[in-house]
Amino acid sequence: MPETSLSAQEFLAIADHTLLAPGTTPDELDTFISGAASLGVARVCVSPSLLPAASHGREIVTVVGFPSGAQHVEMKVAETARAVADGADEIDMVVNRGLVRAGDWAAVEREIRFVRAACFGRVLKVIIESAALSDEEIVGACRAAEAAGADFVKTSTGFDPAGGASVHAVRLMAATVGGKLGIKASGGIRTAAAVRELWAAGATRFGVSGTAAILAEWDGAGSSAGSVSGGY
């Protein structure tokens, strides 16, 4: 558990300000990214079909195999290569949950390795959809991601009905990777209290869409159980 509190500026440095709503137009995207620059976040996470886009000085994160993760690995590799060509700095891939639930760890690792090769030199995060997995499956997915050379494991897409980030999942993921990978918490993180809970549990990056609202109530936020809810 971190020994010091997380400041608003430190949060901005580890927040992926997120816009993944279907139907977003290029003009809406540009407004969003310019607004992210005004907020002071380091990076934005947006849909791959909207790239390339003016970054306004932000790093660009995009998603692959989103949101189900059920695509063939060849499709994820092609999507990754296109995202890199279109200027993505970081890739958040959704793992094939069926392979995870089947315990086919060799296949899970193989899939991640192929995507890793397609975005070599970029940051790769593996979305495991933790709310839909057992503890044993979470541990196995994290170990496969580490073995395949990923940089982060990520809790959730924010689009699954099972829910988003939880303190329990983040704590388990952090204990499993032991600092060798980062932990991105995403899905249902809507308050500064939730950010602080998840950071204390071991999160090192956050996927958030309501960044401005979180910042607005930062100084008055304490810690309250149950402040993380489902949804992005």
Side-chain angles (χ1 to χ4, degrees):
M1 179 181 295
E3 296 180 356
T4 59
S5 62
L6 182 70
S7 71
Q9 286 302 311
E10 288 167 334
F11 166 65
L12 288 171
I14 58 174
D16 293 358
H17 187 47
T18 300
L19 176 63
L20 293 171
T24 300
T25 69
D27 285 346
E28 289 168 342
L29 179 69
D30 189 71
T31 298
F32 173 79
I33 299 176
S34 62
S38 299
L39 282 173
V41 294
R43 61 194 64 80
V44 294
C45 182
V46 300
S47 298
S49 62
L50 292 168
L51 301 180
S55 69
H56 296 280
R58 308 303 97 183
E59 291 187 352
I60 300 292
V61 183
T62 196
V63 291
V64 165
F66 197 85
S68 73
Q71 299 84 348
H72 286 293
V73 64
E74 294 85 356
M75 299 300 102
K76 293 182 183 180
V77 168
E79 193 174 8
T80 301
R82 174 63 186 268
V84 169
D86 285 344
D89 298 293
E90 299 187 359
I91 301 294
D92 289 16
M93 70 163 288
V94 186
V95 76
N96 187 317
R97 195 192 317 169
L99 297 177
V100 172
R101 294 186 62 239
D104 192 346
W105 305 119
V108 174
E109 182 180 335
R110 174 181 175 272
E111 175 182 78
I112 300 168
R113 282 190 184 277
F114 273 105
V115 174
R116 167 79 282 173
C119 64
F120 183 77
R122 268 71 172 181
V123 170
L124 174 62
K125 311 187 200 84
V126 177
I127 307 172
I128 67 170
E129 209 67 87
S130 57
L133 301 179
S134 68
D135 284 2
E136 292 77 12
E137 290 162 349
I138 290 171
V139 169
C142 288
R143 288 175 175 167
E146 180 182 344
D151 300 292
F152 284 77
V153 281
K154 175 178 171 180
T155 60
S156 324
T157 61
F159 284 80
D160 194 277
S166 71
V167 168
H168 172 75
V170 167
R171 187 175 290 125
L172 179 60
M173 292 161 71
T176 300
V177 302
K180 296 176 183 177
L181 277 65
I183 307 295
K184 179 174 174 180
S186 65
I189 305 171
R190 300 193 178 100
T191 67
V195 169
R196 287 170 170 159
E197 286 178 319
L198 293 163
W199 183 75
T204 60
R205 186 77 72 85
F206 293 91
V208 287
S209 56
T211 313
I214 290 172
L215 289 172
E217 53 97 19
W218 189 272
D219 288 340
S223 178
S224 59
S227 58
V228 185
S229 58
Y232 220 108

